[in-house]
Each structure stands twice: as C-alpha cells, then as structure tokens.
Amino acid sequence: MTTIPWDDTVLPFQLDASDVRGRVVRLDGALDEILGQHSYPKSIEALVAETALLTALIGQSIKLRWKLSIQVRGKGPARLIATDYYGPETEGGPARIRAYASYDAERLDDTADPFSQIGEGYFAVMLDQGPHMTPYQGFTPIAGKSLSDCAQTYFAQSEQLPTRFALTFGRSQTPGQPEHWRGGGIMLQHMPQVGMAMKDTGEGGSGEGGLLDHTDILSGEPAENWNRVNILLNTVEEIELIGPSVSPTQLLTRLFSEEIPRVFPETEVHFGCSCNEDKVRQTMSIYSAKDISKMTTPEGIVTADCQFCGAHYEMDPKTLGLEAEKARKEAEAAAQASEQQ
C-alpha cells in the first residue's frame, strides 16, 4: 500500500456538471493539538472533533478577513463547544483554528451518544470581519442526530443553500508512529442560482420542527443534480476520508468522476491561538480595584488561563482594572502632549 503525506489542509472543489461546490478537509496535527490541550471525556472529544472539522470546512468556504466562530450551547451536560477559525493573514498563508469545551462532569454520560449530551440548545455561526465591520450572527436550534445535521440546517435556514457534510474522526496509529487524532470530511453545497427560491410549503419547512431542508429549496433539475451527488457521497468510506493511502484529489475522482470535479488551491490549517497578555489586560480593564482585589491570590498576583491553549498569565494587580487603565491613558496623553511641545 502506498502512503501519502498527511497534511492539515482544506481543498476547495467544484462539480461543474451539477452546479455544486465543496471542500475536502483533513486535520491531523491541528486536531491532535486541539484535543491534546485538555483531558476531555470521550464524548466531549467527539463533539470537539466534529465541530473543529465543521469549522475548518465552513471557514474556508467564506471570504474571511479575520475570524469565523461556531458555538454549540446546550442545557445538557455538554454545555458549550466553541471554535474559532482565523483566515490566512497573507495570500497563500495558513489558516488557524482553535477549540475548547465546557461540560458538567457529574451529569455527563460518557457511554451515551455524544450528540445526546448537548440537549436543548442552539448552533451558532458568527463572523467577525475585524474593526469597523458589523459582526454577523446566525442561529439554528439543536436538531437532527449530529452537529453536522445542525450545520446543514443552519445553511438551509440562514442562506437557503442546500448543504451536506460527511465527516469522520478518531485516534489513528500507523506502524512506527505514536497514536494521534485524525479527522477528515467533505462538504457539498449547491451553488446559488438566479431564480432559485424556497418552495411554498404553506407550513414552514419539512425538516424537524418545521425547519428547512433541501426539499424545501430545490426542485426540477437542480434537485435532481443535488440528489445525484448526494447518492455518490453516500458511497464514501471512512478509510477514504482519514486513511493514509487516498489523496483528496483521488477521492474526488473516485466519488464524482462523471460530475467533472475541478479543484482549486488548498489552504493549510494549523492550530493557533490569538490570546496574549495585552488582551487579558483589556478584558480586565472593566473591573474596579475592589473587583481586582478579589481576584488577587495570597501571593499578590492575578492569574488567568486561556481556555483554548492553556496559556498561563500572571500579572501585578496594581496594573489592572479601571483605575489602572485610566492612569495608563492619562500617562500616554501626557507623553504625547510633551512630545508635541
């Protein structure tokens, strides 16, 4: 068996014969670093892995200046899954991804289906395009049987774009190599078309709880094309998504040869966190000196830990809070005034 180099990448493609676009994602080192930051129970690891793959696929499909975030919030023991995808800072550069989870260990049933541990809640996609740009937020209820189902519903509801995800992930070990996490997946999405509109069902969508799905959006030839490529995607095997011997381009050719697949430049995806001490200080600038004193340890320092990467910060309480921030700004203003004189 011939093995291929495994890279953390997202490969865009288009199926010209069916007006469908998509992405192939493969996460190896990035997913291993995300999950290696924490000692999550198995069910939480599964939810974080699935959300990270969805984030990489969705983030790469959007012309992103800065950051795309996905948040999954539920009333079950899996309270929060949060991911961030930072678009490449330069043309051809790598994207960055990070993720973490918050959960109630006492309520968690690690033998149950991971998705069932979320309970009632919502799936949210947030776009932050940077300073002076209005952030976007889109929400859909937790529904279906997986987070992939929630993401598909989000695109149907918010964008009226039929979307499909096929994902798999798990621990993998090749001869002579240590065990590590590996994930892969495919995203399909029908391209927007002039005149394509939601069918009038009279009573909302035909999905769970009246939510939309592709049958409420497509009809005629577009619906036939969409059904055909989904039937082809149904034949994909887990080993093709995460195995060491099938490249993304070989996979697309095997699945969609008659749909005329066309690929575009891939994007590397690395684990990366945006935390730093300045951001921690800015977060604490809203607190009074009294609040800061409550955060101060017996050793006379204020500590903070990043939930995404585990970075640990230790700061002097005298330099934190509203009063310290005000004094800092006054000192900066005085220094600028002095320079101008």
Side-chain angles (χ1 to χ4, degrees), residues 58-305:
I58 296 172
Q60 211 282 338
S61 68
I62 296 171
K63 292 182 178 179
L64 194 64
R65 289 187 182 181
W66 191 40
K67 181 175 71 171
L68 175 138
S69 302
I70 289 180
Q71 285 193 7
V72 179
R73 290 187 178 270
K75 295 182 180 180
R79 295 186 297 239
L80 171 67
I81 311 296
T83 60
D84 291 326
Y85 175 97
Y86 297 89
E89 296 179 354
T90 58
E91 185 70 26
R96 292 175 294 140
I97 190 171
R98 63 180 189 171
Y100 86 96
S102 174
Y103 61 96
D104 186 341
E106 293 184 358
R107 298 168 55 206
L108 189 70
D109 181 358
D110 215 24
T111 64
D113 173 55
F115 183 70
S116 70
Q117 301 300 285
I118 300 171
E120 180 183 353
Y122 64 81
F123 178 98
V125 175
M126 293 161 280
L127 286 175
D128 187 342
Q129 297 285 41
H132 313 299
M133 299 290 288
T134 302
Y136 164 83
Q137 295 183 341
F139 300 84
T140 190
I142 296 296
K145 298 180 179 180
S146 67
L147 290 174
S148 295
D149 287 348
C150 294
Q152 290 167 185
T153 300
Y154 162 78
F155 279 105
Q157 289 286 126
S158 300
E159 310 292 336
Q160 292 195 10
L161 289 176
T163 306
R164 167 82 185 280
F165 295 93
L167 310 176
T168 191
F169 48 84
R171 290 185 178 275
S172 176
Q173 186 171 17
T174 53
Q177 299 293 326
E179 185 181 71
H180 63 282
W181 278 92
R182 177 175 287 179
I186 295 178
M187 172 185 180
L188 295 179
Q189 190 169 71
H190 200 287
M191 296 178 66
Q193 292 183 329
V194 176
M196 187 176 77
M198 185 181 72
K199 294 187 293 184
D200 184 9
T201 63
E203 297 182 358
S206 57
E208 180 180 336
L211 298 171
L212 298 180
D213 67 14
H214 74 277
T215 60
D216 303 309
I217 303 170
L218 297 176
S219 60
E221 185 177 355
E224 293 177 3
N225 290 338
W226 181 249
N227 290 334
R228 185 176 66 253
V229 297
N230 274 269
I231 290 172
L232 294 173
L233 182 56
N234 289 341
T235 68
V236 72
E237 299 179 3
E238 287 191 3
I239 193 64
E240 292 180 298
L241 292 174
I242 62 173
S245 59
V246 180
S247 70
T249 52
Q250 289 173 328
L251 175 59
L252 292 175
T253 300
R254 206 283 290 171
L255 290 173
F256 306 116
S257 60
E258 296 185 3
E259 304 301 316
I260 315 176
R262 181 158 50 103
V263 300
F264 303 94
E266 65 185 20
T267 297
E268 292 185 19
V269 183
H270 298 169
F271 171 78
C273 192
S274 64
C275 74
N276 57 51
E277 186 170 314
D278 287 342
K279 290 183 179 180
V280 176
R281 290 181 175 277
Q282 187 172 359
T283 300
M284 293 188 175
S285 66
I286 63 173
Y287 296 106
S288 67
K290 183 178 180 180
D291 294 328
I292 294 297
S293 67
K294 294 178 180 178
M295 303 177 192
T296 304
T297 69
E299 292 75 26
I301 58 174
V302 173
T303 64
D305 296 305

